[in-house]
Amino acid sequence: MIPEIETERLLLRAPRSDDFQTYRDFFADAAASAFYGGPLETHQAWRVLATDLGHWQLRGYGRWAIESREDGMMIGGCGLWWPAGWPRSELTWWLCPSGRGKGFATEASRAAISFAYDVLDWELVETHIDDDNDVARRLISRLGGKIIARESFPDGHERDIFALPRATAGVSV
């Protein structure tokens, strides 16, 4: 069972089939999904949704759908991720353009970080950021992330590895 996490403005919940339109639209948008493997065709976006669900089954953690508590709309995804062949686990997130610039990524990330430390008992939460992803680097700075390594990944990219400290308050599992 995928746990739910509530924050002040968000519900992190299990992805479900009726979220597919949000996945499809986000991953079809080349600008929005550039750092997330996009743009993707419709069938590929479906596989991302299926992968998000399957990751929970295989690893016991994964990415949640981010839902706005104000209107019940899915606005993105956030969670913990470790695909086969990747050198490390990481915090990851994506937001639809309509959800950007409102602090949702920070709020969702803090909840996921707290889950990793407090529920999964991880010793360290990390994230891997592409050199050109300035938006993600600003988020990691807000979260207190510090570079601890640089590694090559199976997709041929080198990325900085950031350690993320424990998040503070504002979440309930």
Side-chain angles (χ1 to χ4, degrees), residues 42-111:
T42 299
H43 69 279
Q44 294 169 309
W46 176 261
R47 287 186 184 112
V48 175
L49 171 58
T51 298
D52 282 354
L53 285 165
H55 193 280
W56 279 98
Q57 187 67 33
L58 295 171
R59 297 263 193 219
Y61 57 88
R63 287 191 291 216
W64 289 272
I66 303 171
E67 182 178 298
S68 166
R69 290 178 62 191
E70 181 179 345
D71 62 13
M73 298 297 297
M74 183 192 174
I75 58 171
C78 181
L80 308 163
W81 182 244
W82 193 353
W86 236 235
R88 302 165 175 262
S89 61
E90 72 167 324
L91 169 73
T92 186
W93 62 91
W94 59 270
L95 277 180
C96 297
S98 64
R100 294 180 181 175
K102 301 173 183 175
F104 292 145
T106 303
E107 191 172 325
S109 294
R110 285 188 175 130

Side-chain angles (χ1 to χ4, degrees), residues 5-158:
I5 299 176
E6 289 188 20
T7 68
E8 181 181 339
R9 301 177 298 159
L10 305 173
L11 173 64
L12 277 62
R13 58 159 175 79
R16 51 187 193 234
S17 63
D18 63 343
D19 294 330
F20 176 61
Q21 181 177 340
T22 303
Y23 276 79
R24 183 197 64 209
D25 293 350
F26 172 81
F27 284 101
D29 183 330
S33 65
F35 292 108
Y36 306 95
L40 300 178
E41 298 291 327
T42 299
H43 69 279
Q44 294 169 309
W46 176 261
R47 287 186 184 112
V48 175
L49 171 58
T51 298
D52 282 354
L53 285 165
H55 193 280
W56 279 98
Q57 187 67 33
L58 295 171
R59 297 263 193 219
Y61 57 88
R63 287 191 291 216
W64 289 272
I66 303 171
E67 182 178 298
S68 166
R69 290 178 62 191
E70 181 179 345
D71 62 13
M73 298 297 297
M74 183 192 174
I75 58 171
C78 181
L80 308 163
W81 182 244
W82 193 353
W86 236 235
R88 302 165 175 262
S89 61
E90 72 167 324
L91 169 73
T92 186
W93 62 91
W94 59 270
L95 277 180
C96 297
S98 64
R100 294 180 181 175
K102 301 173 183 175
F104 292 145
T106 303
E107 191 172 325
S109 294
R110 285 188 175 130
I113 291 167
S114 292
F115 182 84
Y117 282 122
D118 300 339
V119 177
L120 299 176
D121 201 30
W122 285 12
E123 291 184 27
L124 181 64
V125 178
E126 303 173 2
T127 195
H128 322 136
I129 305 297
D130 286 318
D131 293 342
D132 296 332
N133 195 340
D134 295 329
V135 173
R137 287 177 178 274
R138 287 193 300 273
L139 171 59
I140 296 310
S141 177
R142 283 192 301 276
L143 295 171
K146 304 290 182 211
I147 295 175
I148 58 170
R150 184 160 178 88
E151 289 189 16
S152 294
F153 284 76
D155 63 1
H157 293 263
E158 282 198 1

